[in-house]
Amino acid sequence: MNTQENASAALQLRHITKTFGAITANEDVDLELRRGEVLAILGENGSGKTTLMNMISGIYRPDSGEICINGKEVSINSPKDAFAHGIGMVHQHFKLVDVFTATENIILGIKEKGGFSLKRSSARVAEICERYGFDLDPNKKIYEMSVSEKQTVEIVKVLYRGADILILDEPTAVLTPQETDKLFNVIRRMRQDGKSIIIITHKLHEVMEISDRVAVLRKGRHIDTVNTADVSESELTDMMVGQKISLNIERTLSEKTPDRLIVSHLTMYSKEGVKVVDDVSFTARAGEILGIAGVSGSGQRELLELIAGLRTPESGDIIYNDPSDGKAVDLRKKTPMQIRDLGVRLSFVPEDRLGMGLVGNMDIIDNMMLRTYRNGRPLFLDRQPSKVLADDIIKSLEVVTPGPTTPVRRLSGGNVQKVLVGREISSAPSVLMAAYPVRGLDINSSYTIYNLLNEQKKNGAAVIYVGEDLDVLLELCDRIMVICGGAVSGILDGRTAEKQEVGLLMTKRKGAEQ
Amino acid sequence: MTAAERPVKAEKIKAPLITITKRDSLPPYRRILIRAAAIVAALLLCSVITLIVTKSNPIEIYKTMFSGAFGNGIRIIRTVYEISVLLIIAVAITPAFKMKFWNTGAEGQVLIGGLTTAMVMLYLGGKVPDGLLIVVMAAAAIGAGVIWGVIPAFFKAYWKTNETLFTLMMNYVAIQLVECFLKIADKTGSNVVGPTMLKNGWFPKFFGLDYMLDVVIIAVLTVLVYIYLRYSKHGYEISVVGESENTAKYIGINVKKVIIRTMALSGALCGIAGLLIVGGASHSISAETAGGRGFTAIMVSWLAKFNPLLMVFSSLLIVFLERGAGEVATVFSLNKSFSDILTGIILFFIIGCEFFINYKLHFRRQAKEERV
């Protein structure tokens, strides 16, 4: 690296490595942010973007490597240190006090020269807003604000503290297209003013629109940094997803694949009024694994919870074809209890294992009972069948545990997942939904889970697999449905689909300009 | 020099003086050891303070405490009764607490149960046979307790109101209702309606002993609640809702129903406590009938880790301290506050030692060694 480059760099990372236990989040990452540029950071889920940014903003410390600001090596031990070096991060989840005004939130926690004066601070906030074109009333209370206004407060907050380097973590995820345009205008003004900006986003068209350069991360490593003007979207996708890696996951072809679950025009709004599931239609067939690919937070969770009866759709239908009598049952607006009473064998391995699928403080036996505790004699529990099931799962899935009476929160991630998946498949489901079932699991446990899903497929279950690793999706699934921003952007054949094709669909928002 | 050649920087890592980490779990004997050490430490500190402040012999003070609680037959019976009343209220709030529904309204629920009992005794007493009267008293007390418990549960289930504040405020409503009843029932302006007015509906003696019917009923109820929480489907639902509402929804438990049902049970048991106090022991009603036990019971329940059987011991401890300390104040003609100080110190140590059971302290030097 020559010295000339160093001089123009606002921020430089050299050989940064960070591990969490056995997992390497970042490995030997070099990154350079030039003064007065917008650098986009692109990468799939789990590629290490957030960890890297957290090291710059003082939340984590790198295990090795160094961080230079304006050519000088620094040590950033806390967010306070980061601010002292002029680094400010705007997180995806806002950290604001609801009952305070914008100004009060902005000055919270800083000691100002000349004492505390809300009036003076307010004037300064207004001045910053004017300078960069923010649309913000300094005296408005947070709870009266829209999501976009709250984000503005967060950005002004870091500017107020004198940040020269701004890190924006997926700032457009919560915004409407109009609000995004406004934000981009502000970013351009900040760039003109000499600020250096890092923006994390999954949306390729936004990368093309706003950034000067793009740094691509993949599996914790820095692949390359290129000038945005010199690359196309498909070249970026190639860099992001990489070459296909063969995993040798077994995939059989079922002879008969009758339609089991027919979802049509399903739409749901979040509490904030955002369309999180947008006119989704698909069919899950028996004896088939349907993969769902997409950037996390694209509506996967909501979609599965809608099918499981945990949420109510705004509109659309969920039709289940009963394999025993061939009758069609409408599952829409049914509670999980009603669904089970209809004789529908629907199993669901949720993303949040200990917070939803299991009870962490209960032992394995009592967790086995969650689905079946209503069976048996009236009023009192019958723990015996659950005991048998627990022993059976511990043995057949090789769960590492001191015994069936150990609380599940004491087990390691892989073993927790085995307990959960084991329970869910014990009822011989006709539909099995699994959300990120191998997240955080080691290779061996992951293959155990793949085998279990394949076994269910062979037994004639319609399996729905929500995953993030494209290589796995491409080898495991018969068909892959790609969703983006809550809408289906394509359904591909798992045997013929190309990785790049999936990657591109993941960032292709319905109705957005390409 | 490239970065790879440079040693990894270790400077500026400034470990705090004390780091607190959560312990995984301790073997039972270590838990008992820690608790025993806490009690010994508390007694030592109490002795030192007694010596300095009163110049009395601390051993004598402890002896007096013991005799205050268990000195003679009458005292033992009274102590056993006090333990059982505190126990039933602690048991009553436990289903709600296991559901993480922080019911601070036991005081009011007990009081309203006692009030309705007293009203039935006053207005129906002598007009119907005593056996029937007691049945009506029980029905009224349970009904009132249920209503007092269900109101905050309903608001919590449907509108997510804060149950702690809600149940707390219901206490004051109950107190005011009692005051109101006292004004109507006793025109002399007395602040208690006593046995002279509530002449009927007294619980029979049990083998010739006062209060003992109460104690037996409470013992049975305690065992029943233990079985209910541990072996019944309802109890299982309560645990799931308490641990994780999301899991409860995921497996199709109707969370609203469980909240309301459990608080109905909790309220009913508090109502029974009111019934037992008024009908079975004091035969009087005043704003002090619950006597703060609704709050003390929270501590009893927590100390026993929500296990109804262990609550026998925690309520014994608390009642022993209260009665013993009261005796100390009388015998040594000390201010009542002094016995409160002793009780406070002992409770502080007993509750404080839970911290050492759940957490581990690392000091800086130790941390450095570990790193090396």
Side-chain angles (χ1 to χ4, degrees), chain A residues 348 355 361 366 373-375 377 379 381, chain B residues 3 6 231 233 236-237 243-244 250-252:
Chain A
F348 178 26
N361 280 331
D366 278 12
Y373 79 95
R374 289 185 189 87
N375 304 346
R377 22 177 204 186
L379 289 175
L381 297 167
Chain B
R6 234 174 262 173
Y231 298 105
K233 293 183 179 179
Y236 183 73
E237 287 180 342
E243 291 287 346
S244 162
Y250 160 80
I251 58 165

mmCIF file with all atom_site columns, all heavy atoms in Angstrom, chain A residues 348 355 361 366 373-375 377 379 381, chain B residues 3 6 231 233 236-237 243-244 250-252:
data_model
loop_
_atom_site.group_PDB
_atom_site.id
_atom_site.type_symbol
_atom_site.label_atom_id
_atom_site.label_alt_id
_atom_site.label_comp_id
_atom_site.label_asym_id
_atom_site.label_entity_id
_atom_site.label_seq_id
_atom_site.pdbx_PDB_ins_code
_atom_site.Cartn_x
_atom_site.Cartn_y
_atom_site.Cartn_z
_atom_site.occupancy
_atom_site.B_iso_or_equiv
_atom_site.pdbx_formal_charge
_atom_site.auth_seq_id
_atom_site.auth_comp_id
_atom_site.auth_asym_id
_atom_site.auth_atom_id
_atom_site.pdbx_PDB_model_num
ATOM 1   N N   . PHE A 1 348 ? -43.647 -26.698 12.421 1.00 0.00 ? 348 PHE A N   1
ATOM 2   C CA  . PHE A 1 348 ? -43.009 -25.409 12.161 1.00 0.00 ? 348 PHE A CA  1
ATOM 3   C C   . PHE A 1 348 ? -41.777 -25.278 13.056 1.00 0.00 ? 348 PHE A C   1
ATOM 4   O O   . PHE A 1 348 ? -41.892 -25.311 14.278 1.00 0.00 ? 348 PHE A O   1
ATOM 5   C CB  . PHE A 1 348 ? -44.034 -24.306 12.436 1.00 0.00 ? 348 PHE A CB  1
ATOM 6   C CG  . PHE A 1 348 ? -43.526 -22.899 12.259 1.00 0.00 ? 348 PHE A CG  1
ATOM 7   C CD1 . PHE A 1 348 ? -42.458 -22.606 11.410 1.00 0.00 ? 348 PHE A CD1 1
ATOM 8   C CD2 . PHE A 1 348 ? -44.127 -21.849 12.940 1.00 0.00 ? 348 PHE A CD2 1
ATOM 9   C CE1 . PHE A 1 348 ? -41.996 -21.307 11.252 1.00 0.00 ? 348 PHE A CE1 1
ATOM 10  C CE2 . PHE A 1 348 ? -43.681 -20.545 12.789 1.00 0.00 ? 348 PHE A CE2 1
ATOM 11  C CZ  . PHE A 1 348 ? -42.613 -20.283 11.940 1.00 0.00 ? 348 PHE A CZ  1
ATOM 12  N N   . GLY A 1 355 ? -36.854 -18.639 21.845 1.00 0.00 ? 355 GLY A N   1
ATOM 13  C CA  . GLY A 1 355 ? -37.862 -17.641 22.185 1.00 0.00 ? 355 GLY A CA  1
ATOM 14  C C   . GLY A 1 355 ? -39.239 -18.026 21.693 1.00 0.00 ? 355 GLY A C   1
ATOM 15  O O   . GLY A 1 355 ? -40.235 -17.442 22.088 1.00 0.00 ? 355 GLY A O   1
ATOM 16  N N   . ASN A 1 361 ? -36.013 -22.453 29.854 1.00 0.00 ? 361 ASN A N   1
ATOM 17  C CA  . ASN A 1 361 ? -35.847 -22.885 31.244 1.00 0.00 ? 361 ASN A CA  1
ATOM 18  C C   . ASN A 1 361 ? -36.468 -24.238 31.537 1.00 0.00 ? 361 ASN A C   1
ATOM 19  O O   . ASN A 1 361 ? -36.317 -24.761 32.630 1.00 0.00 ? 361 ASN A O   1
ATOM 20  C CB  . ASN A 1 361 ? -36.428 -21.835 32.189 1.00 0.00 ? 361 ASN A CB  1
ATOM 21  C CG  . ASN A 1 361 ? -35.462 -20.689 32.385 1.00 0.00 ? 361 ASN A CG  1
ATOM 22  O OD1 . ASN A 1 361 ? -34.251 -20.879 32.305 1.00 0.00 ? 361 ASN A OD1 1
ATOM 23  N ND2 . ASN A 1 361 ? -35.988 -19.508 32.621 1.00 0.00 ? 361 ASN A ND2 1
ATOM 24  N N   . ASP A 1 366 ? -40.184 -31.640 29.187 1.00 0.00 ? 366 ASP A N   1
ATOM 25  C CA  . ASP A 1 366 ? -41.288 -30.681 29.169 1.00 0.00 ? 366 ASP A CA  1
ATOM 26  C C   . ASP A 1 366 ? -41.368 -29.955 27.836 1.00 0.00 ? 366 ASP A C   1
ATOM 27  O O   . ASP A 1 366 ? -42.450 -29.531 27.411 1.00 0.00 ? 366 ASP A O   1
ATOM 28  C CB  . ASP A 1 366 ? -41.141 -29.675 30.320 1.00 0.00 ? 366 ASP A CB  1
ATOM 29  C CG  . ASP A 1 366 ? -41.677 -30.253 31.625 1.00 0.00 ? 366 ASP A CG  1
ATOM 30  O OD1 . ASP A 1 366 ? -41.935 -31.461 31.653 1.00 0.00 ? 366 ASP A OD1 1
ATOM 31  O OD2 . ASP A 1 366 ? -41.830 -29.495 32.595 1.00 0.00 ? 366 ASP A OD2 1
ATOM 32  N N   . TYR A 1 373 ? -49.171 -31.779 25.060 1.00 0.00 ? 373 TYR A N   1
ATOM 33  C CA  . TYR A 1 373 ? -49.569 -31.838 26.478 1.00 0.00 ? 373 TYR A CA  1
ATOM 34  C C   . TYR A 1 373 ? -51.086 -31.955 26.664 1.00 0.00 ? 373 TYR A C   1
ATOM 35  O O   . TYR A 1 373 ? -51.558 -32.381 27.704 1.00 0.00 ? 373 TYR A O   1
ATOM 36  C CB  . TYR A 1 373 ? -49.023 -30.630 27.238 1.00 0.00 ? 373 TYR A CB  1
ATOM 37  C CG  . TYR A 1 373 ? -49.808 -29.359 27.060 1.00 0.00 ? 373 TYR A CG  1
ATOM 38  C CD1 . TYR A 1 373 ? -50.793 -28.985 27.972 1.00 0.00 ? 373 TYR A CD1 1
ATOM 39  C CD2 . TYR A 1 373 ? -49.585 -28.526 25.971 1.00 0.00 ? 373 TYR A CD2 1
ATOM 40  C CE1 . TYR A 1 373 ? -51.524 -27.833 27.806 1.00 0.00 ? 373 TYR A CE1 1
ATOM 41  C CE2 . TYR A 1 373 ? -50.314 -27.377 25.792 1.00 0.00 ? 373 TYR A CE2 1
ATOM 42  C CZ  . TYR A 1 373 ? -51.286 -27.031 26.715 1.00 0.00 ? 373 TYR A CZ  1
ATOM 43  O OH  . TYR A 1 373 ? -52.007 -25.898 26.539 1.00 0.00 ? 373 TYR A OH  1
ATOM 44  N N   . ARG A 1 374 ? -51.831 -31.602 25.622 1.00 0.00 ? 374 ARG A N   1
ATOM 45  C CA  . ARG A 1 374 ? -53.295 -31.673 25.767 1.00 0.00 ? 374 ARG A CA  1
ATOM 46  C C   . ARG A 1 374 ? -53.815 -33.102 25.671 1.00 0.00 ? 374 ARG A C   1
ATOM 47  O O   . ARG A 1 374 ? -54.934 -33.380 26.067 1.00 0.00 ? 374 ARG A O   1
ATOM 48  C CB  . ARG A 1 374 ? -53.969 -30.827 24.684 1.00 0.00 ? 374 ARG A CB  1
ATOM 49  C CG  . ARG A 1 374 ? -53.801 -29.340 24.895 1.00 0.00 ? 374 ARG A CG  1
ATOM 50  C CD  . ARG A 1 374 ? -54.587 -28.565 23.865 1.00 0.00 ? 374 ARG A CD  1
ATOM 51  N NE  . ARG A 1 374 ? -54.284 -27.142 23.919 1.00 0.00 ? 374 ARG A NE  1
ATOM 52  C CZ  . ARG A 1 374 ? -53.289 -26.581 23.269 1.00 0.00 ? 374 ARG A CZ  1
ATOM 53  N NH1 . ARG A 1 374 ? -52.509 -27.310 22.509 1.00 0.00 ? 374 ARG A NH1 1
ATOM 54  N NH2 . ARG A 1 374 ? -53.074 -25.283 23.366 1.00 0.00 ? 374 ARG A NH2 1
ATOM 55  N N   . ASN A 1 375 ? -52.981 -34.005 25.123 1.00 0.00 ? 375 ASN A N   1
ATOM 56  C CA  . ASN A 1 375 ? -53.426 -35.388 24.969 1.00 0.00 ? 375 ASN A CA  1
ATOM 57  C C   . ASN A 1 375 ? -53.490 -36.095 26.310 1.00 0.00 ? 375 ASN A C   1
ATOM 58  O O   . ASN A 1 375 ? -53.028 -35.588 27.318 1.00 0.00 ? 375 ASN A O   1
ATOM 59  C CB  . ASN A 1 375 ? -52.459 -36.162 24.064 1.00 0.00 ? 375 ASN A CB  1
ATOM 60  C CG  . ASN A 1 375 ? -52.300 -35.479 22.722 1.00 0.00 ? 375 ASN A CG  1
ATOM 61  O OD1 . ASN A 1 375 ? -53.083 -34.609 22.373 1.00 0.00 ? 375 ASN A OD1 1
ATOM 62  N ND2 . ASN A 1 375 ? -51.272 -35.858 21.983 1.00 0.00 ? 375 ASN A ND2 1
ATOM 63  N N   . ARG A 1 377 ? -54.979 -38.074 29.701 1.00 0.00 ? 377 ARG A N   1
ATOM 64  C CA  . ARG A 1 377 ? -56.081 -37.899 30.648 1.00 0.00 ? 377 ARG A CA  1
ATOM 65  C C   . ARG A 1 377 ? -56.448 -36.427 30.792 1.00 0.00 ? 377 ARG A C   1
ATOM 66  O O   . ARG A 1 377 ? -55.630 -35.550 30.515 1.00 0.00 ? 377 ARG A O   1
ATOM 67  C CB  . ARG A 1 377 ? -55.714 -38.479 32.011 1.00 0.00 ? 377 ARG A CB  1
ATOM 68  C CG  . ARG A 1 377 ? -54.239 -38.583 32.211 1.00 0.00 ? 377 ARG A CG  1
ATOM 69  C CD  . ARG A 1 377 ? -53.822 -39.084 33.535 1.00 0.00 ? 377 ARG A CD  1
ATOM 70  N NE  . ARG A 1 377 ? -52.470 -38.562 33.705 1.00 0.00 ? 377 ARG A NE  1
ATOM 71  C CZ  . ARG A 1 377 ? -51.665 -38.854 34.705 1.00 0.00 ? 377 ARG A CZ  1
ATOM 72  N NH1 . ARG A 1 377 ? -52.071 -39.633 35.646 1.00 0.00 ? 377 ARG A NH1 1
ATOM 73  N NH2 . ARG A 1 377 ? -50.459 -38.342 34.769 1.00 0.00 ? 377 ARG A NH2 1
ATOM 74  N N   . LEU A 1 379 ? -57.262 -32.907 32.647 1.00 0.00 ? 379 LEU A N   1
ATOM 75  C CA  . LEU A 1 379 ? -56.724 -32.106 33.757 1.00 0.00 ? 379 LEU A CA  1
ATOM 76  C C   . LEU A 1 379 ? -55.236 -32.304 34.025 1.00 0.00 ? 379 LEU A C   1
ATOM 77  O O   . LEU A 1 379 ? -54.486 -31.343 34.107 1.00 0.00 ? 379 LEU A O   1
ATOM 78  C CB  . LEU A 1 379 ? -57.482 -32.348 35.064 1.00 0.00 ? 379 LEU A CB  1
ATOM 79  C CG  . LEU A 1 379 ? -58.896 -31.774 35.127 1.00 0.00 ? 379 LEU A CG  1
ATOM 80  C CD1 . LEU A 1 379 ? -59.580 -32.190 36.429 1.00 0.00 ? 379 LEU A CD1 1
ATOM 81  C CD2 . LEU A 1 379 ? -58.870 -30.256 34.999 1.00 0.00 ? 379 LEU A CD2 1
ATOM 82  N N   . LEU A 1 381 ? -51.257 -33.796 33.524 1.00 0.00 ? 381 LEU A N   1
ATOM 83  C CA  . LEU A 1 381 ? -50.285 -34.072 32.476 1.00 0.00 ? 381 LEU A CA  1
ATOM 84  C C   . LEU A 1 381 ? -49.893 -35.541 32.485 1.00 0.00 ? 381 LEU A C   1
ATOM 85  O O   . LEU A 1 381 ? -49.879 -36.179 33.528 1.00 0.00 ? 381 LEU A O   1
ATOM 86  C CB  . LEU A 1 381 ? -49.017 -33.245 32.714 1.00 0.00 ? 381 LEU A CB  1
ATOM 87  C CG  . LEU A 1 381 ? -49.149 -31.733 32.654 1.00 0.00 ? 381 LEU A CG  1
ATOM 88  C CD1 . LEU A 1 381 ? -47.898 -31.100 33.234 1.00 0.00 ? 381 LEU A CD1 1
ATOM 89  C CD2 . LEU A 1 381 ? -49.344 -31.270 31.215 1.00 0.00 ? 381 LEU A CD2 1
ATOM 90  N N   . ALA B 2 3   ? 1.883   -5.069  9.305  1.00 0.00 ? 3   ALA B N   1
ATOM 91  C CA  . ALA B 2 3   ? 1.091   -5.323  10.498 1.00 0.00 ? 3   ALA B CA  1
ATOM 92  C C   . ALA B 2 3   ? 1.273   -6.740  11.004 1.00 0.00 ? 3   ALA B C   1
ATOM 93  O O   . ALA B 2 3   ? 1.226   -6.990  12.201 1.00 0.00 ? 3   ALA B O   1
ATOM 94  C CB  . ALA B 2 3   ? -0.377  -5.076  10.198 1.00 0.00 ? 3   ALA B CB  1
ATOM 95  N N   . ARG B 2 6   ? 4.022   -7.070  13.458 1.00 0.00 ? 6   ARG B N   1
ATOM 96  C CA  . ARG B 2 6   ? 3.849   -6.383  14.725 1.00 0.00 ? 6   ARG B CA  1
ATOM 97  C C   . ARG B 2 6   ? 3.127   -7.277  15.727 1.00 0.00 ? 6   ARG B C   1
ATOM 98  O O   . ARG B 2 6   ? 2.215   -8.010  15.364 1.00 0.00 ? 6   ARG B O   1
ATOM 99  C CB  . ARG B 2 6   ? 2.991   -5.132  14.484 1.00 0.00 ? 6   ARG B CB  1
ATOM 100 C CG  . ARG B 2 6   ? 3.655   -3.882  14.998 1.00 0.00 ? 6   ARG B CG  1
ATOM 101 C CD  . ARG B 2 6   ? 2.850   -2.694  14.605 1.00 0.00 ? 6   ARG B CD  1
ATOM 102 N NE  . ARG B 2 6   ? 3.394   -2.058  13.414 1.00 0.00 ? 6   ARG B NE  1
ATOM 103 C CZ  . ARG B 2 6   ? 2.775   -1.070  12.788 1.00 0.00 ? 6   ARG B CZ  1
ATOM 104 N NH1 . ARG B 2 6   ? 1.598   -0.662  13.196 1.00 0.00 ? 6   ARG B NH1 1
ATOM 105 N NH2 . ARG B 2 6   ? 3.320   -0.513  11.753 1.00 0.00 ? 6   ARG B NH2 1
ATOM 106 N N   . TYR B 2 231 ? -48.333 -30.706 38.212 1.00 0.00 ? 231 TYR B N   1
ATOM 107 C CA  . TYR B 2 231 ? -48.798 -31.879 37.467 1.00 0.00 ? 231 TYR B CA  1
ATOM 108 C C   . TYR B 2 231 ? -50.011 -31.629 36.583 1.00 0.00 ? 231 TYR B C   1
ATOM 109 O O   . TYR B 2 231 ? -50.421 -32.509 35.849 1.00 0.00 ? 231 TYR B O   1
ATOM 110 C CB  . TYR B 2 231 ? -49.101 -33.024 38.436 1.00 0.00 ? 231 TYR B CB  1
ATOM 111 C CG  . TYR B 2 231 ? -47.881 -33.469 39.202 1.00 0.00 ? 231 TYR B CG  1
ATOM 112 C CD1 . TYR B 2 231 ? -47.699 -33.136 40.537 1.00 0.00 ? 231 TYR B CD1 1
ATOM 113 C CD2 . TYR B 2 231 ? -46.878 -34.205 38.562 1.00 0.00 ? 231 TYR B CD2 1
ATOM 114 C CE1 . TYR B 2 231 ? -46.566 -33.531 41.227 1.00 0.00 ? 231 TYR B CE1 1
ATOM 115 C CE2 . TYR B 2 231 ? -45.740 -34.605 39.240 1.00 0.00 ? 231 TYR B CE2 1
ATOM 116 C CZ  . TYR B 2 231 ? -45.592 -34.260 40.573 1.00 0.00 ? 231 TYR B CZ  1
ATOM 117 O OH  . TYR B 2 231 ? -44.458 -34.646 41.242 1.00 0.00 ? 231 TYR B OH  1
ATOM 118 N N   . LYS B 2 233 ? -52.407 -29.726 33.595 1.00 0.00 ? 233 LYS B N   1
ATOM 119 C CA  . LYS B 2 233 ? -52.220 -29.065 32.298 1.00 0.00 ? 233 LYS B CA  1
ATOM 120 C C   . LYS B 2 233 ? -52.273 -27.546 32.451 1.00 0.00 ? 233 LYS B C   1
ATOM 121 O O   . LYS B 2 233 ? -51.554 -26.822 31.782 1.00 0.00 ? 233 LYS B O   1
ATOM 122 C CB  . LYS B 2 233 ? -53.305 -29.552 31.331 1.00 0.00 ? 233 LYS B CB  1
ATOM 123 C CG  . LYS B 2 233 ? -53.111 -31.021 31.020 1.00 0.00 ? 233 LYS B CG  1
ATOM 124 C CD  . LYS B 2 233 ? -54.094 -31.573 30.020 1.00 0.00 ? 233 LYS B CD  1
ATOM 125 C CE  . LYS B 2 233 ? -53.744 -33.034 29.798 1.00 0.00 ? 233 LYS B CE  1
ATOM 126 N NZ  . LYS B 2 233 ? -54.627 -33.717 28.862 1.00 0.00 ? 233 LYS B NZ  1
ATOM 127 N N   . TYR B 2 236 ? -48.972 -26.329 33.633 1.00 0.00 ? 236 TYR B N   1
ATOM 128 C CA  . TYR B 2 236 ? -48.000 -26.331 32.526 1.00 0.00 ? 236 TYR B CA  1
ATOM 129 C C   . TYR B 2 236 ? -48.200 -25.097 31.644 1.00 0.00 ? 236 TYR B C   1
ATOM 130 O O   . TYR B 2 236 ? -47.244 -24.423 31.276 1.00 0.00 ? 236 TYR B O   1
ATOM 131 C CB  . TYR B 2 236 ? -48.195 -27.611 31.721 1.00 0.00 ? 236 TYR B CB  1
ATOM 132 C CG  . TYR B 2 236 ? -47.221 -27.809 30.590 1.00 0.00 ? 236 TYR B CG  1
ATOM 133 C CD1 . TYR B 2 236 ? -45.894 -28.147 30.842 1.00 0.00 ? 236 TYR B CD1 1
ATOM 134 C CD2 . TYR B 2 236 ? -47.635 -27.660 29.268 1.00 0.00 ? 236 TYR B CD2 1
ATOM 135 C CE1 . TYR B 2 236 ? -45.012 -28.344 29.805 1.00 0.00 ? 236 TYR B CE1 1
ATOM 136 C CE2 . TYR B 2 236 ? -46.748 -27.857 28.227 1.00 0.00 ? 236 TYR B CE2 1
ATOM 137 C CZ  . TYR B 2 236 ? -45.437 -28.196 28.496 1.00 0.00 ? 236 TYR B CZ  1
ATOM 138 O OH  . TYR B 2 236 ? -44.553 -28.381 27.464 1.00 0.00 ? 236 TYR B OH  1
ATOM 139 N N   . GLU B 2 237 ? -49.463 -24.789 31.373 1.00 0.00 ? 237 GLU B N   1
ATOM 140 C CA  . GLU B 2 237 ? -49.753 -23.600 30.545 1.00 0.00 ? 237 GLU B CA  1
ATOM 141 C C   . GLU B 2 237 ? -49.263 -22.335 31.241 1.00 0.00 ? 237 GLU B C   1
ATOM 142 O O   . GLU B 2 237 ? -48.720 -21.436 30.593 1.00 0.00 ? 237 GLU B O   1
ATOM 143 C CB  . GLU B 2 237 ? -51.258 -23.506 30.271 1.00 0.00 ? 237 GLU B CB  1
ATOM 144 C CG  . GLU B 2 237 ? -51.733 -24.539 29.272 1.00 0.00 ? 237 GLU B CG  1
ATOM 145 C CD  . GLU B 2 237 ? -53.227 -24.472 28.984 1.00 0.00 ? 237 GLU B CD  1
ATOM 146 O OE1 . GLU B 2 237 ? -53.965 -23.863 29.782 1.00 0.00 ? 237 GLU B OE1 1
ATOM 147 O OE2 . GLU B 2 237 ? -53.647 -25.035 27.967 1.00 0.00 ? 237 GLU B OE2 1
ATOM 148 N N   . GLU B 2 243 ? -42.838 -18.137 30.924 1.00 0.00 ? 243 GLU B N   1
ATOM 149 C CA  . GLU B 2 243 ? -41.484 -18.191 30.366 1.00 0.00 ? 243 GLU B CA  1
ATOM 150 C C   . GLU B 2 243 ? -41.406 -17.473 29.031 1.00 0.00 ? 243 GLU B C   1
ATOM 151 O O   . GLU B 2 243 ? -40.419 -16.809 28.730 1.00 0.00 ? 243 GLU B O   1
ATOM 152 C CB  . GLU B 2 243 ? -41.045 -19.649 30.189 1.00 0.00 ? 243 GLU B CB  1
ATOM 153 C CG  . GLU B 2 243 ? -40.810 -20.396 31.490 1.00 0.00 ? 243 GLU B CG  1
ATOM 154 C CD  . GLU B 2 243 ? -39.530 -19.959 32.175 1.00 0.00 ? 243 GLU B CD  1
ATOM 155 O OE1 . GLU B 2 243 ? -38.706 -19.282 31.532 1.00 0.00 ? 243 GLU B OE1 1
ATOM 156 O OE2 . GLU B 2 243 ? -39.359 -20.271 33.363 1.00 0.00 ? 243 GLU B OE2 1
ATOM 157 N N   . SER B 2 244 ? -42.377 -17.671 28.176 1.00 0.00 ? 244 SER B N   1
ATOM 158 C CA  . SER B 2 244 ? -42.310 -17.094 26.850 1.00 0.00 ? 244 SER B CA  1
ATOM 159 C C   . SER B 2 244 ? -43.691 -17.035 26.223 1.00 0.00 ? 244 SER B C   1
ATOM 160 O O   . SER B 2 244 ? -44.269 -18.053 25.851 1.00 0.00 ? 244 SER B O   1
ATOM 161 C CB  . SER B 2 244 ? -41.371 -17.938 25.975 1.00 0.00 ? 244 SER B CB  1
ATOM 162 O OG  . SER B 2 244 ? -41.597 -17.675 24.626 1.00 0.00 ? 244 SER B OG  1
ATOM 163 N N   . TYR B 2 250 ? -47.242 -19.837 19.827 1.00 0.00 ? 250 TYR B N   1
ATOM 164 C CA  . TYR B 2 250 ? -46.777 -20.761 18.794 1.00 0.00 ? 250 TYR B CA  1
ATOM 165 C C   . TYR B 2 250 ? -47.432 -22.135 18.926 1.00 0.00 ? 250 TYR B C   1
ATOM 166 O O   . TYR B 2 250 ? -47.779 -22.759 17.936 1.00 0.00 ? 250 TYR B O   1
ATOM 167 C CB  . TYR B 2 250 ? -45.253 -20.843 18.904 1.00 0.00 ? 250 TYR B CB  1
ATOM 168 C CG  . TYR B 2 250 ? -44.567 -22.039 18.296 1.00 0.00 ? 250 TYR B CG  1
ATOM 169 C CD1 . TYR B 2 250 ? -44.312 -22.093 16.922 1.00 0.00 ? 250 TYR B CD1 1
ATOM 170 C CD2 . TYR B 2 250 ? -44.129 -23.085 19.095 1.00 0.00 ? 250 TYR B CD2 1
ATOM 171 C CE1 . TYR B 2 250 ? -43.650 -23.174 16.383 1.00 0.00 ? 250 TYR B CE1 1
ATOM 172 C CE2 . TYR B 2 250 ? -43.467 -24.164 18.561 1.00 0.00 ? 250 TYR B CE2 1
ATOM 173 C CZ  . TYR B 2 250 ? -43.233 -24.216 17.202 1.00 0.00 ? 250 TYR B CZ  1
ATOM 174 O OH  . TYR B 2 250 ? -42.582 -25.281 16.664 1.00 0.00 ? 250 TYR B OH  1
ATOM 175 N N   . ILE B 2 251 ? -47.632 -22.595 20.180 1.00 0.00 ? 251 ILE B N   1
ATOM 176 C CA  . ILE B 2 251 ? -48.264 -23.903 20.322 1.00 0.00 ? 251 ILE B CA  1
ATOM 177 C C   . ILE B 2 251 ? -49.770 -23.778 20.497 1.00 0.00 ? 251 ILE B C   1
ATOM 178 O O   . ILE B 2 251 ? -50.452 -24.767 20.712 1.00 0.00 ? 251 ILE B O   1
ATOM 179 C CB  . ILE B 2 251 ? -47.674 -24.721 21.488 1.00 0.00 ? 251 ILE B CB  1
ATOM 180 C CG1 . ILE B 2 251 ? -47.805 -23.960 22.800 1.00 0.00 ? 251 ILE B CG1 1
ATOM 181 C CG2 . ILE B 2 251 ? -46.239 -25.107 21.213 1.00 0.00 ? 251 ILE B CG2 1
ATOM 182 C CD1 . ILE B 2 251 ? -47.580 -24.828 23.990 1.00 0.00 ? 251 ILE B CD1 1
ATOM 183 N N   . GLY B 2 252 ? -50.280 -22.564 20.387 1.00 0.00 ? 252 GLY B N   1
ATOM 184 C CA  . GLY B 2 252 ? -51.726 -22.409 20.369 1.00 0.00 ? 252 GLY B CA  1
ATOM 185 C C   . GLY B 2 252 ? -52.384 -22.279 21.720 1.00 0.00 ? 252 GLY B C   1
ATOM 186 O O   . GLY B 2 252 ? -53.564 -22.560 21.864 1.00 0.00 ? 252 GLY B O   1
#
